[in-house]
Amino acid sequence: MNVSVLCPGPTDTGFFNRAGSEMMISKMPSHLVAFFGYKGVMQNKRVIVPGVSNQLLVAAAKLMPRAVSLEILRRFQKPSGGGSEDVSTV
């Protein structure tokens, strides 16, 4: 048995719009995420990180203190000023 984990990073789906969050970085199309995920599973990769930009983000996160990484993520995922709707009830 082989187990793989797919770490897609920002993916172009309706998730961010629905959550009221706007990502400042580019999002990979979902069909490409699926392609790279499938390809990684077929190659028995344990961790699959599609895209060069996502791989660079992973490498950078390993080099910086966790508090800095968390602050960057908080800023990227902060809801865009379109209201304070609670997405847990949507």
Side-chain angles (χ1 to χ4, degrees), residues 3 35-36 39 50 57:
V3 176
F35 170 78
F36 287 118
K39 185 176 173 184
L57 287 171

Side-chain angles (χ1 to χ4, degrees), residues 4-90:
S4 297
V5 61
L6 177 61
C7 306
T11 305
D12 191 12
T13 66
F15 175 81
F16 293 104
N17 291 338
R18 180 77 174 170
S21 177
E22 183 58 40
M23 295 294 293
M24 294 186 200
I25 57 177
S26 64
K27 296 175 270 204
M28 181 177 284
S30 57
H31 71 278
L32 286 179
V33 171
F35 170 78
F36 287 118
Y38 178 78
K39 185 176 173 184
V41 167
M42 292 295 105
Q43 295 173 347
N44 292 324
K45 289 189 175 183
R46 285 190 280 173
V47 179
I48 305 161
V49 181
V52 174
S53 61
N54 289 331
Q55 293 170 2
L56 290 173
L57 287 171
V58 169
K62 289 179 182 180
L63 298 175
M64 65 180 77
R66 183 167 298 219
V68 174
S69 296
L70 292 174
E71 179 60 23
I72 291 170
L73 284 173
R74 184 187 71 77
R75 290 182 186 201
F76 274 124
Q77 296 178 354
K78 179 170 98 173
S80 55
S84 59
E85 182 178 342
D86 182 8
V87 294
S88 65
T89 60
V90 176

